[in-house]
PDB file of all heavy atoms in Angstrom:
ATOM      1  N   ASP A  12       4.582  -2.383  -8.977  1.00  0.00           N
ATOM      2  CA  ASP A  12       5.542  -3.505  -9.315  1.00  0.00           C
ATOM      3  C   ASP A  12       5.309  -4.672  -8.240  1.00  0.00           C
ATOM      4  O   ASP A  12       5.875  -4.436  -7.156  1.00  0.00           O
ATOM      5  CB  ASP A  12       6.909  -2.924  -9.213  1.00  0.00           C
ATOM      6  CG  ASP A  12       7.930  -3.945  -9.609  1.00  0.00           C
ATOM      7  OD1 ASP A  12       7.622  -5.148 -10.025  1.00  0.00           O
ATOM      8  OD2 ASP A  12       9.136  -3.727  -9.545  1.00  0.00           O
ATOM      9  N   ARG A  13       4.606  -5.697  -8.679  1.00  0.00           N
ATOM     10  CA  ARG A  13       4.409  -6.670  -7.862  1.00  0.00           C
ATOM     11  C   ARG A  13       5.821  -7.405  -7.418  1.00  0.00           C
ATOM     12  O   ARG A  13       5.786  -8.143  -6.263  1.00  0.00           O
ATOM     13  CB  ARG A  13       3.582  -7.838  -8.431  1.00  0.00           C
ATOM     14  CG  ARG A  13       2.140  -7.335  -8.768  1.00  0.00           C
ATOM     15  CD  ARG A  13       1.301  -8.436  -9.339  1.00  0.00           C
ATOM     16  NE  ARG A  13      -0.132  -8.026  -9.464  1.00  0.00           N
ATOM     17  CZ  ARG A  13      -1.189  -8.695 -10.079  1.00  0.00           C
ATOM     18  NH1 ARG A  13      -0.770 -10.042 -10.545  1.00  0.00           N
ATOM     19  NH2 ARG A  13      -2.274  -8.311 -10.177  1.00  0.00           N
ATOM     20  N   ASP A  14       6.800  -7.396  -8.128  1.00  0.00           N
ATOM     21  CA  ASP A  14       7.973  -8.105  -7.765  1.00  0.00           C
ATOM     22  C   ASP A  14       8.756  -7.463  -6.624  1.00  0.00           C
ATOM     23  O   ASP A  14       9.491  -8.153  -5.923  1.00  0.00           O
ATOM     24  CB  ASP A  14       8.918  -7.894  -8.992  1.00  0.00           C
ATOM     25  CG  ASP A  14       8.466  -8.828 -10.215  1.00  0.00           C
ATOM     26  OD1 ASP A  14       7.686  -9.691 -10.036  1.00  0.00           O
ATOM     27  OD2 ASP A  14       8.925  -8.631 -11.340  1.00  0.00           O
ATOM     28  N   VAL A  15       8.457  -6.224  -6.255  1.00  0.00           N
ATOM     29  CA  VAL A  15       8.997  -5.645  -5.122  1.00  0.00           C
ATOM     30  C   VAL A  15       8.321  -5.947  -3.935  1.00  0.00           C
ATOM     31  O   VAL A  15       8.964  -5.901  -2.742  1.00  0.00           O
ATOM     32  CB  VAL A  15       9.272  -4.169  -5.147  1.00  0.00           C
ATOM     33  CG1 VAL A  15      10.087  -3.708  -6.373  1.00  0.00           C
ATOM     34  CG2 VAL A  15       7.849  -3.394  -5.101  1.00  0.00           C
ATOM     35  N   LEU A  16       7.157  -6.472  -3.928  1.00  0.00           N
ATOM     36  CA  LEU A  16       6.314  -6.683  -2.621  1.00  0.00           C
ATOM     37  C   LEU A  16       6.809  -7.731  -1.745  1.00  0.00           C
ATOM     38  O   LEU A  16       6.803  -7.529  -0.496  1.00  0.00           O
ATOM     39  CB  LEU A  16       4.884  -7.043  -3.185  1.00  0.00           C
ATOM     40  CG  LEU A  16       4.066  -5.846  -3.798  1.00  0.00           C
ATOM     41  CD1 LEU A  16       2.755  -6.495  -4.113  1.00  0.00           C
ATOM     42  CD2 LEU A  16       3.956  -4.599  -2.958  1.00  0.00           C
ATOM     43  N   PRO A  17       7.457  -8.819  -2.242  1.00  0.00           N
ATOM     44  CA  PRO A  17       7.972  -9.698  -1.373  1.00  0.00           C
ATOM     45  C   PRO A  17       9.217  -9.048  -0.464  1.00  0.00           C
ATOM     46  O   PRO A  17       9.407  -9.268   0.823  1.00  0.00           O
ATOM     47  CB  PRO A  17       8.498 -10.793  -2.095  1.00  0.00           C
ATOM     48  CG  PRO A  17       7.610 -10.838  -3.300  1.00  0.00           C
ATOM     49  CD  PRO A  17       7.304  -9.380  -3.575  1.00  0.00           C
ATOM     50  N   HIS A  18      10.044  -8.270  -1.226  1.00  0.00           N
ATOM     51  CA  HIS A  18      11.070  -7.599  -0.460  1.00  0.00           C
ATOM     52  C   HIS A  18      10.642  -6.553   0.507  1.00  0.00           C
ATOM     53  O   HIS A  18      11.188  -6.394   1.598  1.00  0.00           O
ATOM     54  CB  HIS A  18      12.026  -6.906  -1.500  1.00  0.00           C
ATOM     55  CG  HIS A  18      12.510  -7.798  -2.756  1.00  0.00           C
ATOM     56  ND1 HIS A  18      13.635  -8.631  -2.379  1.00  0.00           N
ATOM     57  CD2 HIS A  18      12.146  -8.202  -3.889  1.00  0.00           C
ATOM     58  CE1 HIS A  18      13.912  -9.328  -3.437  1.00  0.00           C
ATOM     59  NE2 HIS A  18      13.002  -9.058  -4.448  1.00  0.00           N
ATOM     60  N   LEU A  19       9.487  -5.798   0.109  1.00  0.00           N
ATOM     61  CA  LEU A  19       8.975  -4.885   0.955  1.00  0.00           C
ATOM     62  C   LEU A  19       8.500  -5.425   2.230  1.00  0.00           C
ATOM     63  O   LEU A  19       8.691  -4.914   3.307  1.00  0.00           O
ATOM     64  CB  LEU A  19       7.830  -4.051   0.231  1.00  0.00           C
ATOM     65  CG  LEU A  19       7.053  -3.071   0.981  1.00  0.00           C
ATOM     66  CD1 LEU A  19       7.923  -1.798   1.439  1.00  0.00           C
ATOM     67  CD2 LEU A  19       5.799  -2.569   0.291  1.00  0.00           C
ATOM     68  N   LYS A  20       7.587  -6.461   2.027  1.00  0.00           N
ATOM     69  CA  LYS A  20       7.012  -7.169   3.303  1.00  0.00           C
ATOM     70  C   LYS A  20       8.076  -7.740   4.085  1.00  0.00           C
ATOM     71  O   LYS A  20       8.009  -7.716   5.299  1.00  0.00           O
ATOM     72  CB  LYS A  20       6.087  -8.138   2.723  1.00  0.00           C
ATOM     73  CG  LYS A  20       4.764  -7.630   1.988  1.00  0.00           C
ATOM     74  CD  LYS A  20       3.863  -8.668   1.579  1.00  0.00           C
ATOM     75  CE  LYS A  20       2.660  -7.992   0.805  1.00  0.00           C
ATOM     76  NZ  LYS A  20       1.682  -9.098   0.317  1.00  0.00           N
ATOM     77  N   ASN A  21       9.043  -8.378   3.463  1.00  0.00           N
ATOM     78  CA  ASN A  21      10.260  -8.941   4.277  1.00  0.00           C
ATOM     79  C   ASN A  21      10.978  -7.781   5.148  1.00  0.00           C
ATOM     80  O   ASN A  21      11.208  -7.972   6.285  1.00  0.00           O
ATOM     81  CB  ASN A  21      11.167  -9.596   3.482  1.00  0.00           C
ATOM     82  CG  ASN A  21      12.340 -10.254   4.184  1.00  0.00           C
ATOM     83  OD1 ASN A  21      12.047 -11.180   5.028  1.00  0.00           O
ATOM     84  ND2 ASN A  21      13.515  -9.800   4.051  1.00  0.00           N
ATOM     85  N   ALA A  22      11.141  -6.672   4.504  1.00  0.00           N
ATOM     86  CA  ALA A  22      11.650  -5.506   5.156  1.00  0.00           C
ATOM     87  C   ALA A  22      10.935  -4.997   6.432  1.00  0.00           C
ATOM     88  O   ALA A  22      11.511  -4.556   7.433  1.00  0.00           O
ATOM     89  CB  ALA A  22      11.958  -4.378   4.240  1.00  0.00           C
ATOM     90  N   CYS A  23       9.607  -5.110   6.237  1.00  0.00           N
ATOM     91  CA  CYS A  23       8.798  -4.583   7.383  1.00  0.00           C
ATOM     92  C   CYS A  23       8.813  -5.422   8.521  1.00  0.00           C
ATOM     93  O   CYS A  23       8.544  -4.974   9.733  1.00  0.00           O
ATOM     94  CB  CYS A  23       7.260  -4.397   6.914  1.00  0.00           C
ATOM     95  SG  CYS A  23       7.042  -3.029   5.790  1.00  0.00           S
ATOM     96  N   GLY A  24       9.177  -6.700   8.333  1.00  0.00           N
ATOM     97  CA  GLY A  24       9.347  -7.622   9.492  1.00  0.00           C
ATOM     98  C   GLY A  24       8.135  -7.662  10.504  1.00  0.00           C
ATOM     99  O   GLY A  24       7.024  -7.812  10.061  1.00  0.00           O
ATOM    100  N   PRO A  25       8.385  -7.419  11.755  1.00  0.00           N
ATOM    101  CA  PRO A  25       7.315  -7.494  12.858  1.00  0.00           C
ATOM    102  C   PRO A  25       6.275  -6.413  12.637  1.00  0.00           C
ATOM    103  O   PRO A  25       5.098  -6.455  13.189  1.00  0.00           O
ATOM    104  CB  PRO A  25       8.058  -7.355  14.197  1.00  0.00           C
ATOM    105  CG  PRO A  25       9.354  -6.691  13.794  1.00  0.00           C
ATOM    106  CD  PRO A  25       9.833  -7.187  12.476  1.00  0.00           C
ATOM    107  N   GLN A  26       6.556  -5.332  11.805  1.00  0.00           N
ATOM    108  CA  GLN A  26       5.693  -4.166  11.568  1.00  0.00           C
ATOM    109  C   GLN A  26       4.694  -4.561  10.465  1.00  0.00           C
ATOM    110  O   GLN A  26       3.686  -3.779  10.212  1.00  0.00           O
ATOM    111  CB  GLN A  26       6.441  -2.932  11.262  1.00  0.00           C
ATOM    112  CG  GLN A  26       7.487  -2.560  12.205  1.00  0.00           C
ATOM    113  CD  GLN A  26       6.905  -2.032  13.500  1.00  0.00           C
ATOM    114  OE1 GLN A  26       5.741  -1.654  13.482  1.00  0.00           O
ATOM    115  NE2 GLN A  26       7.689  -1.885  14.514  1.00  0.00           N
ATOM    116  N   LEU A  27       4.849  -5.727   9.810  1.00  0.00           N
ATOM    117  CA  LEU A  27       4.044  -5.990   8.657  1.00  0.00           C
ATOM    118  C   LEU A  27       2.504  -5.938   8.876  1.00  0.00           C
ATOM    119  O   LEU A  27       1.825  -5.601   7.948  1.00  0.00           O
ATOM    120  CB  LEU A  27       4.422  -7.527   8.110  1.00  0.00           C
ATOM    121  CG  LEU A  27       3.723  -7.950   6.786  1.00  0.00           C
ATOM    122  CD1 LEU A  27       3.929  -6.938   5.649  1.00  0.00           C
ATOM    123  CD2 LEU A  27       4.219  -9.291   6.387  1.00  0.00           C
ATOM    124  N   PRO A  28       1.972  -6.350  10.052  1.00  0.00           N
ATOM    125  CA  PRO A  28       0.492  -6.290  10.243  1.00  0.00           C
ATOM    126  C   PRO A  28       0.006  -4.867  10.110  1.00  0.00           C
ATOM    127  O   PRO A  28      -1.250  -4.692   9.906  1.00  0.00           O
ATOM    128  CB  PRO A  28       0.349  -6.897  11.630  1.00  0.00           C
ATOM    129  CG  PRO A  28       1.479  -7.857  11.803  1.00  0.00           C
ATOM    130  CD  PRO A  28       2.638  -7.104  11.071  1.00  0.00           C
ATOM    131  N   LYS A  29       0.938  -3.872  10.306  1.00  0.00           N
ATOM    132  CA  LYS A  29       0.419  -2.467  10.212  1.00  0.00           C
ATOM    133  C   LYS A  29       0.464  -1.984   8.699  1.00  0.00           C
ATOM    134  O   LYS A  29       0.029  -0.886   8.511  1.00  0.00           O
ATOM    135  CB  LYS A  29       1.366  -1.619  11.069  1.00  0.00           C
ATOM    136  CG  LYS A  29       1.344  -1.911  12.429  1.00  0.00           C
ATOM    137  CD  LYS A  29       2.620  -1.550  13.173  1.00  0.00           C
ATOM    138  CE  LYS A  29       2.683   0.000  13.198  1.00  0.00           C
ATOM    139  NZ  LYS A  29       3.787   0.384  14.054  1.00  0.00           N
ATOM    140  N   LEU A  30       0.840  -2.853   7.813  1.00  0.00           N
ATOM    141  CA  LEU A  30       0.871  -2.381   6.433  1.00  0.00           C
ATOM    142  C   LEU A  30      -0.375  -3.046   5.609  1.00  0.00           C
ATOM    143  O   LEU A  30      -0.619  -4.032   5.585  1.00  0.00           O
ATOM    144  CB  LEU A  30       2.180  -2.944   5.819  1.00  0.00           C
ATOM    145  CG  LEU A  30       2.538  -2.549   4.413  1.00  0.00           C
ATOM    146  CD1 LEU A  30       2.962  -1.090   4.379  1.00  0.00           C
ATOM    147  CD2 LEU A  30       3.654  -3.422   3.859  1.00  0.00           C
ATOM    148  N   THR A  31      -0.887  -1.957   4.837  1.00  0.00           N
ATOM    149  CA  THR A  31      -1.852  -2.260   3.856  1.00  0.00           C
ATOM    150  C   THR A  31      -1.407  -1.954   2.426  1.00  0.00           C
ATOM    151  O   THR A  31      -0.923  -0.839   2.239  1.00  0.00           O
ATOM    152  CB  THR A  31      -3.230  -1.402   4.128  1.00  0.00           C
ATOM    153  OG1 THR A  31      -3.598  -1.861   5.388  1.00  0.00           O
ATOM    154  CG2 THR A  31      -4.163  -1.777   2.995  1.00  0.00           C
ATOM    155  N   VAL A  32      -1.316  -2.821   1.562  1.00  0.00           N
ATOM    156  CA  VAL A  32      -0.847  -2.701   0.222  1.00  0.00           C
ATOM    157  C   VAL A  32      -1.950  -2.468  -0.851  1.00  0.00           C
ATOM    158  O   VAL A  32      -2.845  -3.414  -0.862  1.00  0.00           O
ATOM    159  CB  VAL A  32       0.146  -3.961  -0.221  1.00  0.00           C
ATOM    160  CG1 VAL A  32       0.528  -3.694  -1.601  1.00  0.00           C
ATOM    161  CG2 VAL A  32       1.199  -4.041   0.811  1.00  0.00           C
ATOM    162  N   VAL A  33      -1.899  -1.511  -1.515  1.00  0.00           N
ATOM    163  CA  VAL A  33      -2.891  -1.211  -2.676  1.00  0.00           C
ATOM    164  C   VAL A  33      -1.985  -1.552  -3.980  1.00  0.00           C
ATOM    165  O   VAL A  33      -1.118  -0.725  -4.367  1.00  0.00           O
ATOM    166  CB  VAL A  33      -3.475   0.119  -2.713  1.00  0.00           C
ATOM    167  CG1 VAL A  33      -4.345   0.291  -3.960  1.00  0.00           C
ATOM    168  CG2 VAL A  33      -4.212   0.344  -1.333  1.00  0.00           C
ATOM    169  N   GLU A  34      -2.247  -2.673  -4.621  1.00  0.00           N
ATOM    170  CA  GLU A  34      -1.554  -2.910  -5.932  1.00  0.00           C
ATOM    171  C   GLU A  34      -2.246  -2.361  -7.027  1.00  0.00           C
ATOM    172  O   GLU A  34      -3.274  -2.687  -7.553  1.00  0.00           O
ATOM    173  CB  GLU A  34      -1.527  -4.517  -6.122  1.00  0.00           C
ATOM    174  CG  GLU A  34      -0.816  -5.215  -5.038  1.00  0.00           C
ATOM    175  CD  GLU A  34      -0.608  -6.713  -5.409  1.00  0.00           C
ATOM    176  OE1 GLU A  34      -0.541  -7.058  -6.636  1.00  0.00           O
ATOM    177  OE2 GLU A  34      -0.670  -7.570  -4.412  1.00  0.00           O
ATOM    178  N   ALA A  35      -1.649  -1.111  -7.310  1.00  0.00           N
ATOM    179  CA  ALA A  35      -2.340  -0.248  -8.459  1.00  0.00           C
ATOM    180  C   ALA A  35      -1.333   0.734  -8.944  1.00  0.00           C
ATOM    181  O   ALA A  35      -0.449   1.016  -8.284  1.00  0.00           O
ATOM    182  CB  ALA A  35      -3.523   0.416  -7.868  1.00  0.00           C
ATOM    183  N   ASP A  36      -1.698   1.110 -10.207  1.00  0.00           N
ATOM    184  CA  ASP A  36      -0.968   2.313 -10.699  1.00  0.00           C
ATOM    185  C   ASP A  36      -1.417   3.651  -9.909  1.00  0.00           C
ATOM    186  O   ASP A  36      -2.540   3.896  -9.908  1.00  0.00           O
ATOM    187  CB  ASP A  36      -1.297   2.421 -12.164  1.00  0.00           C
ATOM    188  CG  ASP A  36      -0.633   3.697 -12.943  1.00  0.00           C
ATOM    189  OD1 ASP A  36      -0.098   4.471 -12.216  1.00  0.00           O
ATOM    190  OD2 ASP A  36      -0.600   3.592 -14.144  1.00  0.00           O
ATOM    191  N   ALA A  37      -0.382   4.373  -9.415  1.00  0.00           N
ATOM    192  CA  ALA A  37      -0.779   5.604  -8.663  1.00  0.00           C
ATOM    193  C   ALA A  37      -1.631   6.520  -9.363  1.00  0.00           C
ATOM    194  O   ALA A  37      -2.293   7.331  -8.770  1.00  0.00           O
ATOM    195  CB  ALA A  37       0.531   6.109  -8.180  1.00  0.00           C
ATOM    196  N   LEU A  38      -1.486   6.457 -10.754  1.00  0.00           N
ATOM    197  CA  LEU A  38      -2.285   7.482 -11.573  1.00  0.00           C
ATOM    198  C   LEU A  38      -3.704   7.054 -11.612  1.00  0.00           C
ATOM    199  O   LEU A  38      -4.534   7.874 -12.138  1.00  0.00           O
ATOM    200  CB  LEU A  38      -1.681   7.477 -12.918  1.00  0.00           C
ATOM    201  CG  LEU A  38      -0.283   8.130 -13.158  1.00  0.00           C
ATOM    202  CD1 LEU A  38       0.243   8.023 -14.494  1.00  0.00           C
ATOM    203  CD2 LEU A  38      -0.612   9.680 -13.018  1.00  0.00           C
ATOM    204  N   SER A  39      -4.129   5.889 -11.252  1.00  0.00           N
ATOM    205  CA  SER A  39      -5.431   5.356 -11.356  1.00  0.00           C
ATOM    206  C   SER A  39      -6.172   5.448 -10.046  1.00  0.00           C
ATOM    207  O   SER A  39      -7.407   5.069  -9.960  1.00  0.00           O
ATOM    208  CB  SER A  39      -5.546   4.070 -11.972  1.00  0.00           C
ATOM    209  OG  SER A  39      -4.915   2.962 -11.118  1.00  0.00           O
ATOM    210  N   VAL A  40      -5.431   5.598  -8.898  1.00  0.00           N
ATOM    211  CA  VAL A  40      -6.085   5.496  -7.648  1.00  0.00           C
ATOM    212  C   VAL A  40      -7.036   6.712  -7.264  1.00  0.00           C
ATOM    213  O   VAL A  40      -6.655   7.803  -7.612  1.00  0.00           O
ATOM    214  CB  VAL A  40      -4.971   5.460  -6.506  1.00  0.00           C
ATOM    215  CG1 VAL A  40      -5.615   5.511  -5.213  1.00  0.00           C
ATOM    216  CG2 VAL A  40      -4.129   4.183  -6.603  1.00  0.00           C
ATOM    217  N   ASP A  41      -8.172   6.390  -6.790  1.00  0.00           N
ATOM    218  CA  ASP A  41      -9.091   7.452  -6.308  1.00  0.00           C
ATOM    219  C   ASP A  41      -8.681   7.770  -4.903  1.00  0.00           C
ATOM    220  O   ASP A  41      -9.111   7.175  -3.909  1.00  0.00           O
ATOM    221  CB  ASP A  41     -10.522   6.957  -6.338  1.00  0.00           C
ATOM    222  CG  ASP A  41     -11.607   7.922  -6.029  1.00  0.00           C
ATOM    223  OD1 ASP A  41     -11.109   8.908  -5.357  1.00  0.00           O
ATOM    224  OD2 ASP A  41     -12.695   7.771  -6.410  1.00  0.00           O
ATOM    225  N   TYR A  42      -7.961   8.874  -4.648  1.00  0.00           N
ATOM    226  CA  TYR A  42      -7.414   9.219  -3.376  1.00  0.00           C
ATOM    227  C   TYR A  42      -8.478   9.804  -2.525  1.00  0.00           C
ATOM    228  O   TYR A  42      -8.390   9.661  -1.292  1.00  0.00           O
ATOM    229  CB  TYR A  42      -6.312  10.200  -3.484  1.00  0.00           C
ATOM    230  CG  TYR A  42      -5.050   9.571  -4.234  1.00  0.00           C
ATOM    231  CD1 TYR A  42      -4.902   9.606  -5.575  1.00  0.00           C
ATOM    232  CD2 TYR A  42      -4.096   8.846  -3.454  1.00  0.00           C
ATOM    233  CE1 TYR A  42      -3.741   8.954  -6.121  1.00  0.00           C
ATOM    234  CE2 TYR A  42      -3.112   8.193  -4.031  1.00  0.00           C
ATOM    235  CZ  TYR A  42      -2.946   8.257  -5.382  1.00  0.00           C
ATOM    236  OH  TYR A  42      -1.931   7.681  -5.960  1.00  0.00           O
ATOM    237  N   SER A  43      -9.572  10.311  -3.107  1.00  0.00           N
ATOM    238  CA  SER A  43     -10.679  10.865  -2.322  1.00  0.00           C
ATOM    239  C   SER A  43     -11.345   9.575  -1.669  1.00  0.00           C
ATOM    240  O   SER A  43     -11.828   9.808  -0.428  1.00  0.00           O
ATOM    241  CB  SER A  43     -11.609  11.645  -3.207  1.00  0.00           C
ATOM    242  OG  SER A  43     -11.079  12.739  -3.775  1.00  0.00           O
ATOM    243  N   ALA A  44     -11.662   8.557  -2.416  1.00  0.00           N
ATOM    244  CA  ALA A  44     -12.275   7.448  -1.968  1.00  0.00           C
ATOM    245  C   ALA A  44     -11.408   6.720  -0.774  1.00  0.00           C
ATOM    246  O   ALA A  44     -11.966   6.263   0.133  1.00  0.00           O
ATOM    247  CB  ALA A  44     -12.460   6.446  -3.048  1.00  0.00           C
ATOM    248  N   LEU A  45     -10.207   6.765  -1.053  1.00  0.00           N
ATOM    249  CA  LEU A  45      -9.097   6.247  -0.076  1.00  0.00           C
ATOM    250  C   LEU A  45      -9.227   7.086   1.211  1.00  0.00           C
ATOM    251  O   LEU A  45      -9.155   6.396   2.288  1.00  0.00           O
ATOM    252  CB  LEU A  45      -7.790   6.099  -0.680  1.00  0.00           C
ATOM    253  CG  LEU A  45      -6.675   5.496   0.181  1.00  0.00           C
ATOM    254  CD1 LEU A  45      -6.942   4.067   0.529  1.00  0.00           C
ATOM    255  CD2 LEU A  45      -5.323   5.569  -0.535  1.00  0.00           C
ATOM    256  N   ALA A  46      -9.162   8.349   1.127  1.00  0.00           N
ATOM    257  CA  ALA A  46      -9.388   9.047   2.343  1.00  0.00           C
ATOM    258  C   ALA A  46     -10.647   8.822   3.112  1.00  0.00           C
ATOM    259  O   ALA A  46     -10.636   8.661   4.286  1.00  0.00           O
ATOM    260  CB  ALA A  46      -9.286  10.628   1.964  1.00  0.00           C
ATOM    261  N   ALA A  47     -11.800   8.699   2.372  1.00  0.00           N
ATOM    262  CA  ALA A  47     -13.020   8.315   3.069  1.00  0.00           C
ATOM    263  C   ALA A  47     -12.934   7.052   3.718  1.00  0.00           C
ATOM    264  O   ALA A  47     -13.470   6.798   4.908  1.00  0.00           O
ATOM    265  CB  ALA A  47     -14.012   8.374   1.978  1.00  0.00           C
ATOM    266  N   SER A  48     -12.241   6.046   3.130  1.00  0.00           N
ATOM    267  CA  SER A  48     -12.185   4.613   3.711  1.00  0.00           C
ATOM    268  C   SER A  48     -11.295   4.643   4.951  1.00  0.00           C
ATOM    269  O   SER A  48     -11.582   3.857   5.873  1.00  0.00           O
ATOM    270  CB  SER A  48     -11.640   3.658   2.689  1.00  0.00           C
ATOM    271  OG  SER A  48     -10.321   3.917   2.450  1.00  0.00           O
ATOM    272  N   LEU A  49     -10.344   5.660   5.012  1.00  0.00           N
ATOM    273  CA  LEU A  49      -9.473   5.714   6.203  1.00  0.00           C
ATOM    274  C   LEU A  49      -9.803   6.682   7.211  1.00  0.00           C
ATOM    275  O   LEU A  49      -9.260   6.841   8.284  1.00  0.00           O
ATOM    276  CB  LEU A  49      -8.047   6.135   5.632  1.00  0.00           C
ATOM    277  CG  LEU A  49      -7.273   5.139   4.801  1.00  0.00           C
ATOM    278  CD1 LEU A  49      -5.899   5.658   4.310  1.00  0.00           C
ATOM    279  CD2 LEU A  49      -7.014   3.757   5.586  1.00  0.00           C
ATOM    280  N   GLY A  50     -11.075   7.362   6.863  1.00  0.00           N
ATOM    281  CA  GLY A  50     -11.503   8.280   7.847  1.00  0.00           C
ATOM    282  C   GLY A  50     -11.137   9.762   8.034  1.00  0.00           C
ATOM    283  O   GLY A  50     -11.198  10.381   9.052  1.00  0.00           O
ATOM    284  N   GLY A  51     -10.357  10.341   6.951  1.00  0.00           N
ATOM    285  CA  GLY A  51      -9.909  11.576   7.131  1.00  0.00           C
ATOM    286  C   GLY A  51      -8.930  11.902   5.979  1.00  0.00           C
ATOM    287  O   GLY A  51      -8.602  10.922   5.204  1.00  0.00           O
ATOM    288  N   LYS A  52      -8.436  13.126   5.964  1.00  0.00           N
ATOM    289  CA  LYS A  52      -7.416  13.542   5.034  1.00  0.00           C
ATOM    290  C   LYS A  52      -6.184  12.775   5.133  1.00  0.00           C
ATOM    291  O   LYS A  52      -5.745  12.402   6.138  1.00  0.00           O
ATOM    292  CB  LYS A  52      -7.156  14.993   5.211  1.00  0.00           C
ATOM    293  CG  LYS A  52      -8.368  15.990   4.784  1.00  0.00           C
ATOM    294  CD  LYS A  52      -7.962  17.404   4.669  1.00  0.00           C
ATOM    295  CE  LYS A  52      -9.105  18.248   4.150  1.00  0.00           C
ATOM    296  NZ  LYS A  52      -8.708  19.684   3.950  1.00  0.00           N
ATOM    297  N   LEU A  53      -5.534  12.544   3.889  1.00  0.00           N
ATOM    298  CA  LEU A  53      -4.255  11.879   3.809  1.00  0.00           C
ATOM    299  C   LEU A  53      -2.990  12.766   3.823  1.00  0.00           C
ATOM    300  O   LEU A  53      -3.125  13.804   3.369  1.00  0.00           O
ATOM    301  CB  LEU A  53      -4.367  11.166   2.450  1.00  0.00           C
ATOM    302  CG  LEU A  53      -5.606  10.316   2.013  1.00  0.00           C
ATOM    303  CD1 LEU A  53      -5.389   9.839   0.530  1.00  0.00           C
ATOM    304  CD2 LEU A  53      -5.789   9.157   2.946  1.00  0.00           C
TER     305      LEU A  53
END
């Protein structure tokens, strides 16, 4: 839901640089590839 992202980012405040947003349907995400990109198990 793109509409919640401004609220989410605003809520994170000074912590926002630590946040990475993947705009996608959770059912379509390749979690194995995501784990590989992050360097370990999720």
Side-chain angles (χ1 to χ4, degrees):
D12 184 4
R13 293 182 178 179
D14 291 340
V15 305
L16 293 180
H18 302 280
L19 175 67
K20 292 177 180 179
N21 181 63
C23 288
Q26 305 287 345
L27 183 58
K29 297 159 64 175
L30 184 72
T31 299
V32 177
V33 177
E34 294 186 36
D36 184 342
L38 288 168
S39 67
V40 173
D41 184 337
Y42 295 91
S43 298
L45 183 57
S48 70
L49 293 175
K52 289 192 175 186
L53 306 176

